[in-house]
């Protein structure tokens, strides 16, 4: 019995996977690997807090508002602290852009990387025990190491990301990331406190059946989107699925095939989602998994950000579904 148990390999742990694949990275000095480990470690702490949230009554609004005017939840604040702390301790990060801070956080002029992060996305789902996520993008700084951070370091296009990923705090906790060599997904094993490779070389189906959009705002959608949704509904093969947690909606569509849309609306002409710490990271992952991400017209990764908290419409998912939705806008 014991022998047969030992014979079964438990799989590749995240640490080993990162180490084994370090050479793939153009600037393989080990710093990016360490940075990914720092993010993984912080996510374990956040995961623990997310899991015990209901038990120790740390849920609910703290009463302050973040830079975008959203009401901050306690867990948002905690997650922001955990990730900032982990990334500042490591020393690899010179600046951190976060949903929770109006300006970027200057961490360490010696660091070579800039991080954009939404520490806890989908915060309105926290109180009702629905999946939430962390989203992150990693860039190389452009100014010389040791000098103060400059705008060119901060306002980089998504196409300049060297890594991106997300953590999904769902029925299992998963970390999914890319360094531009495909996408790999790791599932957290809580009793061992470790992520294990569960979804190697993830590919998004080229077509799908799921459309994810908040139809509560349908009266304010652009005409092209209304036409696309009418097409989906009249066809009969499509399913509507919308959690309202970007990471969870994106992850489901990546595994099953589908499209997630947050359009420009009459109320929010630039859309709701933030380019730098929501859309770019998922666009990079989508493309690396064979999917497509646009603002309905332009490739997300080609958009030059001009401000930290810039918003963009977001169409992401299976190539054929995104292309079909775009056709209605031509
Ligand atoms: P919250 O963090 O305020 O819950 O917003 C979540 C989010 O940024 C993204 O995760 C969702 O997909 C999207 O907004 C939901 O927005 P709507 O409630 O307008 O559909």
């Amino acid at each position: 019995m014991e022998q047969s148990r030992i014979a079964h390999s438990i799989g590749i742990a995240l640490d080993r996977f990162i180490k084994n694949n370090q050479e793939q990275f153009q600037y393989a000095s080990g710093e990016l690997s360490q940075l990914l480990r720092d993010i993984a470690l912080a996510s374990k702490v956040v995961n623990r807090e997310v899991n015990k949230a209901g038990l120790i009554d740390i849920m609910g609004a703290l009463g302050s508002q973040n830079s975008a005017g959203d009401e901050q939840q306690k867990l948002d604040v905690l997650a922001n602290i955990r990730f900032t702390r982990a990334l500042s301790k490591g020393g690899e990060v010179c600046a951190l852009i976060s949903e929770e801070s109006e300006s970027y956080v200057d961490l360490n002029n010696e660091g070579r990387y800039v991080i954009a992060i939404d520490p806890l996305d989908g915060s309105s789902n926290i109180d009702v025990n629905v999946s939430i996520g962390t989203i992150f993008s990693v860039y190389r700084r452009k100014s010389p190491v040791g000098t103060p951070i400059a705008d060119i370091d901060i306002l980089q296009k998504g196409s300049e990301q060297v890594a991106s990923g997300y953590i999904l705090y769902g029925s299992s906790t998963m970390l999914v990331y890319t360094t531009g060599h495909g996408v790999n997904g790791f599932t957290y094993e809580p009793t061992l406190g470790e992520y294990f490779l569960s979804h190697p070389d993830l590919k998004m189906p080229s077509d799908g059946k799921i459309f994810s959009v908040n139809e509560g705002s349908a009266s304010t959608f652009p005409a092209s989107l209304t036409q696309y949704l009418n097409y989906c509904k009249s066809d009969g093969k499509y399913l509507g699925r919308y959690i309202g947690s970007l990471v969870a909606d994106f992850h489901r569509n990546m595994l099953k095939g589908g499209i997630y849309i947050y359009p420009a609306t009459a109320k929010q002409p630039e859309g709701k989602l933030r380019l730098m710490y929501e859309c770019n990271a998922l666009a990079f992952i989508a493309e690396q998994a064979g999917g497509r991400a646009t603002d309905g017209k332009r490739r997300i990764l080609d958009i030059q950000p001009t401000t930290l908290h810039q918003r963009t419409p977001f169409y992401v998912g299976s190539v054929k579904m995104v292309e079909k939705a775009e056709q209605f806008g031509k």
Side-chain angles (χ1 to χ4, degrees):
M1 164 69 179
E2 202 47 40
Q3 278 303 322
S4 62
R5 266 215 202 150
I6 292 168
H8 281 98
S9 153
I10 190 152
I12 303 179
L14 176 65
D15 261 9
R16 182 171 296 274
F17 184 88
I18 290 174
K19 195 161 169 255
N20 290 352
N21 290 282
Q22 191 170 303
E23 285 71 33
Q24 280 183 341
F25 185 56
Q26 196 185 345
Y27 318 91
S29 63
E31 288 169 304
L32 179 70
S33 301
Q34 186 53 45
L35 197 160
L36 290 168
R37 284 192 205 101
D38 292 343
I39 291 177
L41 178 61
S43 79
K44 291 178 193 175
V45 180
V46 172
N47 179 59
R48 191 186 63 192
E49 281 161 5
V50 166
N51 280 325
K52 69 182 183 190
L55 292 173
I56 60 169
D57 195 33
I58 58 169
M59 296 166 83
L62 190 64
S64 56
Q65 291 201 332
N66 69 14
S67 56
D70 302 329
E71 193 176 73
Q72 279 192 0
Q73 307 282 326
K74 278 186 184 176
L75 277 176
D76 300 31
V77 180
L78 287 176
N80 195 40
I81 293 168
R82 296 298 181 208
F83 281 105
T84 308
R85 206 179 275 166
L87 292 167
S88 58
K89 267 197 189 148
E92 296 84 15
V93 180
C94 56
L96 185 131
I97 302 157
S98 163
E99 176 174 35
E100 305 301 331
S101 325
E102 196 155 337
S103 182
Y104 64 82
V105 182
D106 210 332
L107 287 182
N108 166 19
N109 283 348
E110 299 301 321
R112 288 180 200 278
Y113 293 95
V114 173
I115 299 272
I117 190 163
D118 186 346
L120 212 54
D121 182 67
S123 48
S124 56
N125 279 323
I126 294 172
D127 282 346
V128 289
N129 207 2
V130 170
S131 300
I132 46 185
T134 297
I135 308 173
F136 63 91
S137 290
V138 185
Y139 297 87
R140 292 275 293 183
R141 75 179 293 170
K142 292 188 165 175
S143 61
V145 169
T147 62
I149 309 307
D151 272 1
I152 48 163
D153 300 318
I154 300 296
L155 297 174
Q156 298 195 45
K157 286 184 195 170
S159 56
E160 294 173 292
Q161 290 170 100
V162 293
S164 81
Y166 60 82
I167 296 117
L168 172 62
Y169 310 97
S171 47
S172 300
T173 295
M174 281 193 72
L175 188 153
V176 177
Y177 81 94
T178 182
T179 56
H181 300 275
V183 179
N184 289 285
F186 298 80
T187 301
Y188 186 59
E189 214 294 21
T191 59
L192 297 173
E194 187 55 274
Y195 285 102
F196 289 96
L197 181 63
S198 52
H199 296 66
D201 197 18
L202 262 170
K203 292 288 174 222
M204 189 179 265
S206 62
D207 205 356
K209 293 187 178 143
I210 296 171
F211 61 89
S212 312
V213 61
N214 183 349
E215 288 201 271
S217 312
S219 63
T220 66
F221 283 173
S224 57
L225 177 57
T226 307
Q227 284 158 16
Y228 172 64
L229 293 173
N230 287 342
Y231 154 81
C232 291
K233 290 174 197 168
S234 62
D235 184 284
K237 80 168 185 185
Y238 293 96
L239 301 166
R241 292 281 184 276
Y242 190 72
I243 297 167
S245 251
L246 176 58
V247 173
D249 279 312
F250 175 85
H251 184 73
R252 182 204 52 239
N253 291 355
M254 182 152 83
L255 297 187
K256 297 198 164 182
I259 185 172
Y260 171 96
I261 303 172
Y262 207 108
T265 63
K267 209 168 125 200
Q268 302 190 96
E270 306 302 326
K272 175 184 180 188
L273 302 182
R274 307 334 130 86
L275 176 64
M276 293 213 60
Y277 42 81
E278 292 181 304
C279 303
N280 274 339
L282 299 187
F284 190 23
I285 289 194
E287 288 195 4
Q288 284 292 315
R292 184 174 172 86
T294 71
D295 67 356
K297 291 187 166 63
R298 286 178 299 173
R299 182 179 177 233
I300 288 291
L301 298 182
D302 287 339
I303 300 174
Q304 175 63 56
T306 52
T307 60
L308 287 188
H309 300 286
Q310 185 167 329
R311 297 173 193 265
T312 178
F314 196 35
Y315 290 61
V316 65
S318 297
V319 157
K320 288 187 183 161
M321 291 187 81
V322 177
E323 283 175 350
K324 187 77 189 173
E326 285 165 2
Q327 274 171 23
F328 286 88
K330 283 183 181 153

